[in-house]
Each structure stands twice: as C-alpha cells, then as structure tokens.
Amino acid sequence: MAESPSAAPTEPSANTQLTNFSAAMTGDQTFELNGRPAKYTVLYFYPKDNTPGCTTEAMAFRDHHDEFAALGTAIYGLSRDSLRSHESFKAKLGLPFELISDPEEAVCNQFDVMKMKNMYGKKVRGVERSTFVIDANGKVVKEWRGVKVNDHVDEVLEFLKSQP
C-alpha cells in the first residue's frame, strides 16, 4: 500500500497485543477491549468535541459507517471530554457509533497519544489525532499517528478492505 498523504502510518506497534481495558462511553455503556463481537475495531483518538477538525473527522466516520459495518468493523471515537460533552456531540452530529470518555488519560497513555503541541504559539499537552485498527483478539494491526483529517477515513476503509 502506498503511503498516504493524510498521515504517516507507523508499524512499530502493529502486531502489539493490547492489555484489556474498559472505559465509560456514550449510551450508558462501557467499552471493553476483550469480548468485542466485531472482526475489527477502529479506535480513533481526537483532541476535543465540537472543534472543526474533530467535527469533520467524526462526520467522515459517520458517513462511511455502513461501509465499515459491512466489513465487520466497529468504530469508536475517544477523547478526554466528559460523557456529557460526548452525548451532546454525538447527538448534534447524529453519530451512529459510541464515543469513549477518558478524562484521566488512562487509555490515551496506553496508546501513547498524549503529546506536546503548539497552540497559537504556546506549548500545550494534548491528544495527538491517531487511529488504530484492532483485530478481534485485541491485537493492533495498523496505526496512524499525527493524522490529517482529509481523506484519512477513506485510507482506513481501504486498509480494512485489503484484509482477509
């Protein structure tokens, strides 16, 4: 597969077996890594609800949701925002998938997505936009870090279409 302009895929954690974790998510549910019925899980980390890039990314996953589902793939978005913020964001955009809340950064730290970023000339610590494809056994099969929103969802979808 050719390298995408939307993000530089990195392979070091491909084939990494994840340890089980659980986290609160929208719909009064709890995400559990182990025991997911989907063939694949797309877990995408984003900085903040209701910001332009995060809204665009969520809508792109929403708009392609049926294609992911047809491939046996579940989608989950994750940020440090509260469940209340997530519920509002999900309803506003009509998202057909759940959003995971990680205010304590436990999951963010497990995936090493907390980075120092420049915001208006000031260094701030935040979530690096990243996407992980996880198989049914809890193994990372693909990751993208430093994601640029444009065409990223298409790239994730094409990767999944290439899988057996």
Side-chain angles (χ1 to χ4, degrees):
M1 183 167 118
E3 193 166 296
S4 164
S6 69
T10 56
E11 300 301 332
S13 64
N15 295 318
T16 297
Q17 185 66 44
L18 299 170
T19 57
N20 189 39
F21 64 89
S22 62
M25 66 180 175
T26 51
D28 289 324
Q29 298 179 54
T30 300
F31 177 89
E32 288 279 342
L33 179 64
N34 290 348
R36 292 166 293 108
K39 181 177 179 183
Y40 292 103
T41 296
V42 169
L43 182 59
Y44 78 94
F45 291 79
Y46 64 98
K48 186 136 185 71
D49 291 342
N50 295 303
T51 57
C54 298
T55 298
T56 300
E57 183 177 30
M59 290 188 313
F61 276 114
R62 174 198 69 197
D63 294 348
H64 292 285
H65 184 263
D66 290 345
E67 293 171 77
F68 282 101
L71 295 169
T73 302
I75 301 167
Y76 298 92
L78 185 148
S79 80
R80 298 179 300 170
D81 291 304
S82 69
L83 282 174
R84 183 176 178 178
S85 176
H86 278 347
E87 290 288 3
S88 172
F89 187 54
K90 181 182 171 198
K92 177 180 169 183
L93 298 180
L95 301 179
F97 52 85
E98 305 302 335
L99 300 176
I100 300 168
S101 178
D102 188 28
E104 303 298 322
E105 302 174 2
V107 181
C108 290
N109 288 329
Q110 180 174 344
F111 284 82
D112 193 30
V113 298
M114 296 304 301
K115 304 292 179 189
M116 292 305 293
K117 302 168 15 173
N118 268 323
M119 205 149 209
Y120 307 110
K122 187 173 143 187
K123 291 272 190 195
V124 294
R125 191 168 164 275
V127 174
E128 177 184 48
R129 192 179 310 277
S130 304
T131 301
F132 298 84
V133 176
I134 304 164
D135 71 12
N137 298 314
K139 189 177 289 189
V140 174
V141 293
K142 187 74 169 175
E143 73 174 70
W144 294 263
R145 293 182 181 268
V147 167
K148 303 294 183 226
V149 174
N150 292 341
D151 301 321
H152 174 62
V153 171
D154 293 327
E155 181 180 354
V156 176
L157 193 55
E158 286 306 311
F159 170 76
L160 286 161
K161 286 177 180 176
S162 76
Q163 298 304 293

